[in-house]
């Protein structure tokens, strides 16, 4: 969650700087940041799905009690 907040803050800084100097580079960088954030979410969802398939639950305590 904190990585998402840092990416959004960085994107906002790019947009503000681009608006200040009157160039569209800030908006282009923000689109790149949005695509990186979407890839990060898809990796996290994939990890959750694999954990659910392997352990049958998303309970971290139950998964840590299993050995092997």
């Amino acid at each position: 969650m904190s990585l998402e907040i840092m990416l959004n803050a960085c994107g906002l800084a790019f947009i503000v700087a681009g608006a200040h100097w009157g160039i569209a580079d800030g908006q282009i960088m923000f689109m790149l940041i949005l695509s990186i954030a979407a890839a990060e979410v898809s990796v996290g969802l994939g990890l959750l799905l694999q954990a659910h398939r392997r352990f049958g639950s998303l309970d971290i305590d139950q998964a840590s009690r299993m050995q092997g």
Side-chain angles (χ1 to χ4, degrees), residues 36-49:
I36 290 171
E40 173 193 352
V41 168
S42 66
V43 167
L45 182 61
L47 288 172
L48 281 176
L49 288 173

Side-chain angles (χ1 to χ4, degrees), residues 44-58:
L45 182 61
L47 288 172
L48 281 176
L49 288 173
Q50 283 299 105
H52 186 268
R53 278 189 195 154
R54 181 170 182 177
F55 302 119
S57 173
L58 291 178

Side-chain angles (χ1 to χ4, degrees), residues 9 15 31 59 62 67:
I15 288 177
M31 294 298 287
D59 185 18
Q62 181 185 3
Q67 299 293 323

